[in-house]
Amino acid sequence: MTEIEEMEFWKNKRVLVTGGADFLGSFLIEKLIRREAGDILIPHIEHYDITDREVIRCLLDDALLPADRRPAHLTPVGFKPSVVDCQPSELIVIH
Protein backbone atom coordinates (compact mmCIF):
# COMPACT_ATOMS: atom_id res chain seq x y z
CA MET A 1 0.00 0.00 0.00
CA THR A 2 1.42 3.38 -0.97
CA GLU A 3 1.44 6.30 1.46
CA ILE A 4 -1.32 7.98 -0.55
CA GLU A 5 -3.48 4.84 -0.42
CA GLU A 6 -2.84 4.58 3.31
CA MET A 7 -3.91 8.21 3.81
CA GLU A 8 -7.09 7.58 1.82
CA PHE A 9 -7.88 4.42 3.81
CA TRP A 10 -7.98 6.25 7.15
CA LYS A 11 -9.70 9.37 5.86
CA ASN A 12 -13.16 9.79 7.37
CA LYS A 13 -12.97 6.55 9.38
CA ARG A 14 -14.05 6.22 13.03
CA VAL A 15 -11.28 4.44 14.92
CA LEU A 16 -11.50 3.10 18.49
CA VAL A 17 -8.02 2.62 19.98
CA THR A 18 -7.70 0.69 23.23
CA GLY A 19 -4.48 1.73 24.93
CA GLY A 20 -4.50 4.96 22.96
CA ALA A 21 -3.76 6.99 26.08
CA ASP A 22 -0.56 5.12 26.98
CA PHE A 23 2.96 5.83 25.72
CA LEU A 24 2.93 3.65 22.59
CA GLY A 25 -0.73 4.36 21.88
CA SER A 26 -0.04 8.09 21.76
CA PHE A 27 2.22 7.55 18.73
CA LEU A 28 -0.56 5.62 17.00
CA ILE A 29 -3.02 8.42 17.73
CA GLU A 30 -0.61 10.97 16.24
CA LYS A 31 -0.32 8.87 13.07
CA LEU A 32 -4.11 8.56 12.79
CA ILE A 33 -4.45 12.34 13.11
CA ARG A 34 -1.80 12.87 10.40
CA ARG A 35 -3.61 10.38 8.18
CA GLU A 36 -6.81 12.38 8.69
CA ALA A 37 -8.88 9.76 10.50
CA GLY A 38 -12.34 11.28 10.72
CA ASP A 39 -12.93 10.30 14.33
CA ILE A 40 -10.71 8.81 17.02
CA LEU A 41 -11.98 7.30 20.25
CA ILE A 42 -9.83 6.39 23.25
CA PRO A 43 -11.48 4.46 26.08
CA HIS A 44 -9.92 4.97 29.50
CA ILE A 45 -9.93 2.29 32.20
CA GLU A 46 -11.70 4.56 34.69
CA HIS A 47 -14.69 4.59 32.32
CA TYR A 48 -14.42 1.20 30.58
CA ASP A 49 -12.98 -1.95 32.12
CA ILE A 50 -12.49 -3.87 28.88
CA THR A 51 -12.06 -7.16 30.72
CA ASP A 52 -15.85 -7.14 31.32
CA ARG A 53 -18.02 -8.19 28.35
CA GLU A 54 -20.96 -6.01 29.36
CA VAL A 55 -18.69 -2.97 29.59
CA ILE A 56 -17.30 -3.78 26.14
CA ARG A 57 -20.87 -3.81 24.77
CA CYS A 58 -21.47 -0.42 26.41
CA LEU A 59 -18.22 0.93 24.91
CA LEU A 60 -19.19 -0.24 21.42
CA ASP A 61 -22.66 1.29 21.81
CA ASP A 62 -21.06 4.59 22.91
CA ALA A 63 -18.59 4.42 20.01
CA LEU A 64 -21.44 4.27 17.49
CA LEU A 65 -23.21 7.34 18.84
CA PRO A 66 -22.91 10.59 16.87
CA ALA A 67 -19.99 12.67 18.14
CA ASP A 68 -22.31 15.23 19.73
CA ARG A 69 -24.19 12.56 21.73
CA ARG A 70 -21.43 10.27 22.96
CA PRO A 71 -19.48 10.66 26.23
CA ALA A 72 -16.88 13.43 25.88
CA HIS A 73 -14.23 11.36 27.65
CA LEU A 74 -13.92 9.12 24.56
CA THR A 75 -12.59 11.90 22.32
CA PRO A 76 -8.93 12.98 22.60
CA VAL A 77 -8.48 16.49 23.99
CA GLY A 78 -8.37 19.04 21.20
CA PHE A 79 -9.52 16.59 18.50
CA LYS A 80 -12.50 17.65 16.39
CA PRO A 81 -14.32 14.68 14.81
CA SER A 82 -15.41 15.07 11.20
CA VAL A 83 -17.45 11.85 10.99
CA VAL A 84 -21.04 12.41 12.12
CA ASP A 85 -22.70 9.01 11.90
CA CYS A 86 -21.18 5.56 11.94
CA GLN A 87 -22.56 2.11 11.19
CA PRO A 88 -21.17 -0.92 13.08
CA SER A 89 -19.45 -2.14 9.90
CA GLU A 90 -17.61 1.21 9.58
CA LEU A 91 -16.04 1.19 13.06
CA ILE A 92 -12.38 0.17 13.16
CA VAL A 93 -11.13 -1.20 16.49
CA ILE A 94 -7.41 -1.28 17.20
CA HIS A 95 -6.65 -3.34 20.30
Side-chain angles (χ1 to χ4, degrees), residues 21-81:
D22 66 17
F23 179 72
L24 292 176
S26 66
F27 289 100
L28 176 58
I29 298 303
E30 286 178 21
K31 284 191 177 273
L32 289 169
I33 291 170
R34 281 197 306 264
R35 285 174 172 75
E36 299 180 13
D39 200 357
I40 300 170
L41 309 171
I42 303 172
H44 297 269
I45 188 120
E46 59 268 14
H47 301 288
Y48 303 99
D49 174 6
I50 59 172
T51 63
D52 181 324
R53 286 179 189 237
E54 194 55 43
V55 174
I56 293 169
R57 284 187 190 96
C58 179
L59 170 59
L60 293 174
D61 288 343
D62 288 349
L64 293 173
L65 290 171
D68 61 343
R69 290 191 31 227
R70 72 165 176 254
H73 56 77
L74 274 173
T75 305
V77 175
F79 182 77
K80 302 285 188 245

Side-chain angles (χ1 to χ4, degrees), residues 70-90:
R70 72 165 176 254
H73 56 77
L74 274 173
T75 305
V77 175
F79 182 77
K80 302 285 188 245
S82 63
V83 174
V84 178
D85 291 321
C86 180
Q87 298 300 314
S89 62
E90 298 168 331

